[in-house]
Amino acid sequence: MDNVIEIRGLTKDYETGFLFKKKIRALDDLTLNVKGGQIFGFLGGNGAGKTTTIKTLMRLQFPTAGSAKILGRDIGDIDLHRSIGYCPENPYFYDYLSAVELMDYFGRLFGYDQAARTQKTTELLDAVGLEEKDRKKQLRKYSKGMLQRVGLAQALINGPEVVFLDEPMSGLDPVGRREIRELIASLRDKGVTVFMSTHILSDIEALCDEVAILRNGKLAANGNLGELLSQNEGSRTLEVRVQGVVADAIRDKIEFIAGAAMKSTPDGANINILDEADIDAVLHVTREAGGRLISVQPVKQSLEELFVKETE
Amino acid sequence: MSAEKVGPPSRILTIALNAFREAVRDRILYNLILFVLLITGSAIFLGELTAGQESRVIVNLGLSAILIFGTFISIFVGVSLVWKEIEKRTVYSIFSKPVGRGEFIVGKYLGLCLTLLVNVSVMGAGVSLALLYVGGGELVSAIWPAIFLIYLELTIITAVAITFSSFSTPALSALLTFFVFVIGHFSSSLRDLASDMASTTAKALFDGVYYLLPNFAHFTFVTETANGIMPDGRFIGMAVIYALAFDAVLLAIAVLVFSRRNFK
């Protein structure tokens, strides 16, 4: 699959202060490719540059240096916006409009006729789970979660090929999150590329094919999620769970094994070892002390560990 | 279900109609109630105070009120028109659609001009009814060209407000626009004053103000209208050209500034 998003050396400086202006680099020489038809997770701590990147791609801000293309077209090309969608973080809309009126307004900007606008509005508000009774209320009466749903619906009004979602799960309750997760997964099934920034790592793990992690405006890691998580395979550990032993009674013998570490549990101990060959030694010590083996399993690096490692 | 590829005029119209809807829902047109009360009160009570002069007083009062109310809307709605969209971040979802920044500014401007058109039209109808009530029916046809001229002036004040607000805060923009309104009504007098001055610097300064800022004398026809005099076609034609030229230049500046703006 070809790259649908190509970012080359994107840099963004902000000026702060009044008399003595100071430059702050929010985005530093970011180069990134995103292949089509996937859900791409864009991660990073607060202030890492995620929203700055998305805003620059949406031409809400102008880059200090660098360039970017979406679907092979420069981001400054207005016509490109016929083929993309965007749901901003904490979306704000005209609060004097209802959800139906807002969708109709945006539909008009794309040139849809009345029948198409009505059909799309109904389909999309159904898809994001906005209840029928709420659709004609003014948006100023909406909760954060309801606005988030409208934000997603309006991002899809033009049937985009690429959609940018900035914290799409923000403000949603667990049921809402699951519904929106299913909606995002269904977009991928239809061939839509989803570029999603979020802090909710479980959503990334559940949805994303590839991820990029930003740290202080720079790209810290990028690649297939599974591959990134298994990159630390060499230092992966095995966890041996044993019961019927007092941890302190076997601590000296266990810690004699190279690289082994032990944590006591209410009914035994969890012993981490680096080498499979040490399992026998651990079992021997455990049985001598009257204990028994419960399980042996590899300890996988979690996305949270990867995130913490790459963003610290 | 593919979208018909619409051009800038269609998108500008969509934005303008939505800006008009915003003004209506934000109760901007409620000022009409105050205006109706003012004109009705005048029609009833002025007759007793100004024997035989009711029609003239109603024209003077009514047209001046149309200008003042309209200026108030132009300045205070105009300066917040774009600023509010940036502050409330509603521009984020607009510019993710195929909408140019220039289209947005022009659309918002035309939306406010449409609001002002409805406003001055309803007010004009109110003045006409008040004239009919006091028996000044012969002045009804005379007031409409003057109201049209006031409307042209309001389109310039709105363009000034939007231009200032494209690079300044609403409070400062309102103040600067008010200065332009005041100076614009006295710029001919300033030029006359300059011609009598010995200092070439002062003369150049007042001449600069005269040519740089709009001269609203081109739109002032209230006193003549009260005496039943109507502006001729040439006067109106020149006023239209003058207003369109100022509107175009001011909007071009606003678009230029707004197009370079980063939304944080």
Side-chain angles (χ1 to χ4, degrees), chain A:
Chain A
M1 187 68 82
D2 291 338
N3 292 328
V4 296
I5 303 171
E6 295 165 291
I7 300 172
R8 296 281 171 272
L10 209 62
T11 302
K12 178 67 189 170
D13 293 337
Y14 290 119
E15 282 187 340
T16 59
F18 183 65
L19 283 177
F20 303 101
K21 289 196 171 175
K22 199 177 141 191
K23 274 188 180 172
I24 292 175
R25 182 147 290 188
L27 205 55
D28 193 356
D29 196 25
L30 177 70
T31 294
L32 188 65
N33 289 324
V34 178
K35 288 190 176 67
Q38 63 162 327
I39 301 174
F40 189 89
F42 200 46
L43 304 173
N46 292 326
K50 303 186 299 294
T51 297
T52 299
T53 306
I54 294 179
K55 280 186 187 172
T56 307
L57 294 176
M58 291 299 107
R59 72 195 168 105
L60 295 169
Q61 298 185 344
F62 299 103
T64 307
S67 63
K69 285 184 174 179
I70 301 170
L71 296 166
R73 297 158 92 167
D74 188 87
I75 51 171
D77 181 354
I78 288 180
D79 266 351
L80 161 68
H81 291 258
R82 292 185 183 286
S83 313
I84 63 177
Y86 169 50
C87 175
E89 183 180 10
N90 299 322
Y92 292 92
F93 303 112
Y94 299 117
D95 57 8
Y96 54 87
L97 296 181
S98 68
V100 170
E101 288 170 334
L102 184 85
M103 295 291 284
D104 187 74
Y105 174 53
F106 287 151
R108 275 177 197 271
L109 291 176
F110 281 104
Y112 289 112
D113 61 26
Q114 178 68 60
R117 295 199 303 270
T118 306
Q119 188 188 337
K120 275 177 168 287
T121 298
T122 308
E123 279 174 9
L124 288 167
L125 293 180
D126 281 347
V128 297
L130 190 73
E131 288 186 42
E132 193 92 35
K133 66 179 171 62
D134 296 323
R135 294 180 188 183
K136 290 189 176 170
K137 282 183 191 167
Q138 285 190 328
L139 295 175
R140 58 174 59 122
K141 293 173 186 158
Y142 277 30
S143 68
K144 199 178 169 197
M146 286 157 77
L147 280 174
Q148 195 70 45
R149 288 169 195 264
V150 176
L152 282 163
Q154 63 81 32
L156 304 174
I157 185 94
N158 53 325
E161 291 174 53
V162 187
V163 63
F164 294 83
L165 308 176
D166 198 353
E167 301 287 352
M169 311 292 185
S170 167
L172 294 171
D173 59 27
V175 176
R177 268 178 58 196
R178 196 179 62 189
E179 287 170 2
I180 297 304
R181 225 167 27 210
E182 284 167 4
L183 173 72
I184 293 171
S186 76
L187 289 173
R188 174 179 48 193
D189 297 341
K190 290 175 192 159
V192 177
T193 307
V194 181
F195 186 95
M196 179 171 93
S197 95
T198 178
H199 281 115
I200 305 171
L201 299 178
S202 58
D203 291 333
I204 294 281
E205 279 185 304
L207 285 171
C208 293
D209 308 291
E210 281 191 33
V211 296
I213 302 178
L214 282 190
R215 178 176 53 199
N216 299 328
K218 290 183 178 172
L219 188 65
N222 173 216
N224 178 281
L225 183 58
E227 286 170 13
L228 282 177
L229 292 176
S230 60
Q231 266 173 6
N232 281 3
E233 200 79 9
S235 60
R236 208 167 79 171
T237 59
L238 290 169
E239 185 186 68
V240 183
R241 290 180 60 211
V242 297
Q243 277 184 1
V245 292
V246 177
D248 284 341
I250 59 170
R251 187 174 300 278
D252 287 348
K253 287 180 180 171
I254 290 295
E255 288 183 351
F256 190 70
I257 300 167
M262 188 173 70
K263 275 187 212 160
S264 62
T265 61
D267 52 359
N270 288 347
I271 300 154
N272 281 18
I273 51 173
L274 296 177
D275 195 342
E276 274 180 27
D278 293 330
I279 293 175
D280 282 344
V282 172
L283 277 178
H284 182 73
V285 172
T286 304
R287 284 179 182 144
E288 259 188 2
R292 62 193 171 91
L293 176 72
I294 297 299
S295 66
V296 178
Q297 57 187 20
V299 179
K300 280 175 116 179
Q301 183 181 222
S302 70
L303 179 58
E304 188 177 334
E305 285 167 324
L306 177 69
F307 182 81
V308 170
K309 184 184 143 205
E310 297 295 354
T311 55
E312 268 184 350

Side-chain angles (χ1 to χ4, degrees), chain B residues 1 3 40 54 68 91 141 146 174-175 177 184 192 196 207 211 222 224 228 230 232 239 252:
Chain B
M1 196 162 40
T40 311
E54 302 99 322
I68 299 299
V91 286
S141 57
L175 192 67
T177 310
D192 292 343
D196 296 335
D207 270 349
Y211 286 112
V222 176
E224 293 87 337
M230 285 169 71
D232 59 20

Side-chain angles (χ1 to χ4, degrees), chain B residues 44-68:
Chain B
I44 294 169
F45 297 112
L46 282 176
E48 293 170 20
L49 300 173
T50 54
Q53 296 292 315
E54 302 99 322
S55 302
R56 195 178 296 177
V57 173
I58 284 184
V59 170
N60 268 317
L61 188 75
L63 297 192
S64 301
I66 290 175
L67 178 63
I68 299 299

